[in-house]
C-alpha cells in the first residue's frame, strides 16, 4: 500500500528504575575537580567523607562528631573539615543543620560546633572546588 505508515513500538527503561537502591556516584565533568569520594558512618551516628585525587591520595575530609565533650567542646556537635594537600582544590564541608565551613588552605583544619537535639538525623557532605566549578559528594547520614 502506498502511503502506509509503519508503526513500531519500543519499551524504554529508565536507568534509575533498574536499581533505585544503588547510590549514585557523582562524575567529574570536564574542568571540574577530578576527585572521587568515599565515606563511612558508625553506629553512634558519627561519620567521615573523604576526597581522593586521581592518584588515590586523600586530599580532604569532612568529619561529623556527635557531642565530642571535654572542656573545649562542652556542648554541641561538631563538623570538622581538613585540607591535606596543596593541590589547587578548595574543600567545603556542609551539614544539613546550616553549617558550611572551609579551611583556608593546605594543612588547615576548621571546625564548627552547634548544639543539636540528641538523636536528630542529619546529613553531611564534602564539596571540592577549583576555578572551573564544584563537585560535591553524596550526603552521608549521621546523627546528633
Amino acid at each position: 500500500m502506498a502511503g502506509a505508515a509503519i508503526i513500531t513500538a519500543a519499551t524504554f527503561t529508565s536507568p534509575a528504575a533498574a536499581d533505585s537502591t544503588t547510590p549514585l556516584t557523582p562524575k567529574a565533568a570536564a574542568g571540574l575537580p577530578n576527585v572521587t569520594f568515599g565515606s563511612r558512618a558508625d553506629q553512634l551516628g558519627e561519620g567521615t567523607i573523604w576526597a581522593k585525587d586521581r592518584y588515590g591520595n586523600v586530599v580532604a575530609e569532612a568529619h561529623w562528631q556527635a557531642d565530642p565533650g571535654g572542656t573545649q567542646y562542652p556542648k554541641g556537635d561538631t563538623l570538622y573539615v581538613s585540607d591535606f594537600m596543596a593541590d589547587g582544590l578548595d574543600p567545603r564541608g556542609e551539614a544539613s543543620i546550616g553549617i558550611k565551613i572551609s579551611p583556608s588552605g593546605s594543612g588547615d583544619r576548621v571546625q564548627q560546633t552547634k548544639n543539636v537535639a540528641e538523636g536528630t538525623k542529619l546529613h553531611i557532605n564534602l564539596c571540592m572546588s577549583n576555578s572551573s566549578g564544584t563537585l560535591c559528594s553524596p550526603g552521608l547520614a549521621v546523627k546528633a
Side-chain angles (χ1 to χ4, degrees):
M1 296 180 121
I6 298 174
I7 300 173
T8 59
T11 303
F12 295 97
T13 304
S14 165
D19 185 0
S20 62
T21 61
T22 304
L24 298 176
T25 303
K27 302 293 182 195
L32 289 179
N34 188 7
V35 297
T36 57
F37 296 101
S39 65
R40 71 174 179 276
D42 65 22
Q43 293 178 346
L44 299 174
E46 297 180 4
T48 304
I49 301 172
W50 58 88
K52 288 185 176 183
D53 66 13
R54 64 182 175 206
Y55 305 108
N57 301 308
V58 176
V59 297
E61 86 174 8
H63 175 74
W64 177 259
Q65 188 170 6
D67 295 319
T71 57
Q72 189 175 2
Y73 311 102
K75 290 185 178 181
D77 307 283
T78 304
L79 178 65
Y80 303 89
V81 180
S82 301
D83 186 352
F84 301 124
M85 295 265 213
D87 53 9
L89 297 174
D90 299 315
R92 180 182 73 240
E94 301 176 344
S96 59
I97 53 170
I99 296 175
K100 290 183 182 184
I101 54 175
S102 298
S104 61
S106 175
D108 192 24
R109 180 181 187 199
V110 295
Q111 64 203 36
Q112 186 171 341
T113 300
K114 187 170 185 176
N115 198 16
V116 182
E118 298 305 309
T120 300
K121 294 179 183 179
L122 57 133
H123 288 86
I124 63 169
N125 70 352
L126 177 63
C127 297
M128 301 298 291
S129 299
N130 64 14
S131 60
S132 298
T134 301
L135 183 65
C136 295
S137 70
L140 177 65
V142 293
K143 67 180 179 180

